[in-house]
Amino acid sequence: MERQFLKVIIITSFIISGCQQIPEDNSSIELPVNDNQNIKQIYLEKEDKLLSYYSDIWDYIMMESSYVSENIDEETLFYMNAHLQDIEKFKEYLNDSYYFLFFVVEELEKANLPLEFAFLPYIESNYDPFSISSSGAVGMWQFMPRTGRFYELEKSWWNEDRHDPFKSTIAAVEYLDYLYKRFDKDIYHTLAAYNAGPSLLDRKIKKNQRKKLEIDFWSLDELPAQTKNYIPKFIA
């Protein structure tokens, strides 16, 4: 029942949100000069193709997804309701990804990673390439300096690759690929490791293993508060 409820909420929220908006500049659509009778029809057909390309991104992610949420706790419902209480704000929130979401999805597909990882920049920075956190994390994917250097994101007086949405996405997908494989393709462990670091998560998993306890994300104790909130935000 909970899983059905989640599906209804997600589908409803995306339908209401109106998905991605389309630029009004149609200058790139070429129309025949001498065939006035078919101009309108050709224009409408090409415009429909553009509209379907941009409006189908959420349907595409959902159809290609194998992810199923099994936990809808009070905190997850809190974040879901926060999105649904102000639909216009939620639309703006989604549309902030307009320039980069398609590239992110494409890179995830190249790496054979779950397309749901495209939601991470919403949690990290609301898809803002110029975001800077108080802890020193920078860019759309909120790379810390050390991790950024490891994935060859240059930082100097003149350049900061962590602000580059394309270079940082390529680096983030590479990092996610490493984490996803390291944690046996467990999507929640991967997300938690992205937020808290793989070494910390490893320690928590091994601690539960020594105690013969479950090692799923929800069974791990003493995780940082931010990491505990991270998964409910992702599910929402």
Side-chain angles (χ1 to χ4, degrees), residues 84-194:
L84 296 175
Q85 282 174 357
D86 189 337
I87 298 303
E88 290 304 313
K89 186 175 181 180
F90 187 51
K91 287 169 63 176
E92 292 178 11
Y93 175 73
L94 294 178
N95 288 334
D96 282 339
S97 71
Y98 174 77
Y99 294 103
F100 312 120
L101 181 61
F102 298 96
F103 180 74
V104 171
V105 169
E106 184 178 35
E107 290 301 306
L108 290 169
E109 284 188 317
K110 287 180 184 178
N112 293 316
L113 289 171
L115 298 189
E116 295 78 30
F117 286 147
F119 299 143
L120 262 65
Y122 283 122
I123 306 171
E124 292 288 347
S125 66
N126 198 18
Y127 264 90
D128 180 4
F130 300 104
S131 176
I132 302 175
S133 76
S134 57
S135 63
V138 168
M140 200 164 78
W141 295 89
Q142 290 291 281
F143 270 105
M144 294 295 286
R146 182 179 177 182
T147 311
R149 287 193 300 271
F150 186 83
Y151 286 95
E152 300 181 351
L153 295 177
E154 180 186 347
K155 181 182 185 300
S156 66
W157 285 104
W158 303 275
N159 188 55
E160 174 58 277
D161 283 345
R162 291 180 295 167
H163 282 307
D164 187 312
F166 303 105
K167 289 182 179 180
S168 65
T169 292
I170 292 170
V173 169
E174 187 178 349
Y175 185 38
L176 286 167
D177 184 55
Y178 161 73
L179 294 175
Y180 192 56
K181 291 173 181 174
R182 175 170 173 171
F183 291 99
D184 299 321
K185 298 187 177 181
D186 185 306
I187 195 167
Y188 290 166
H189 284 171
T190 302
L191 292 168
Y194 188 91

Side-chain angles (χ1 to χ4, degrees), residues 213-225:
L213 299 174
E214 297 293 331
I215 62 170
D216 62 278
F217 170 80
W218 309 101
S219 300
L220 300 179
D221 293 328
E222 301 175 0
L223 288 172

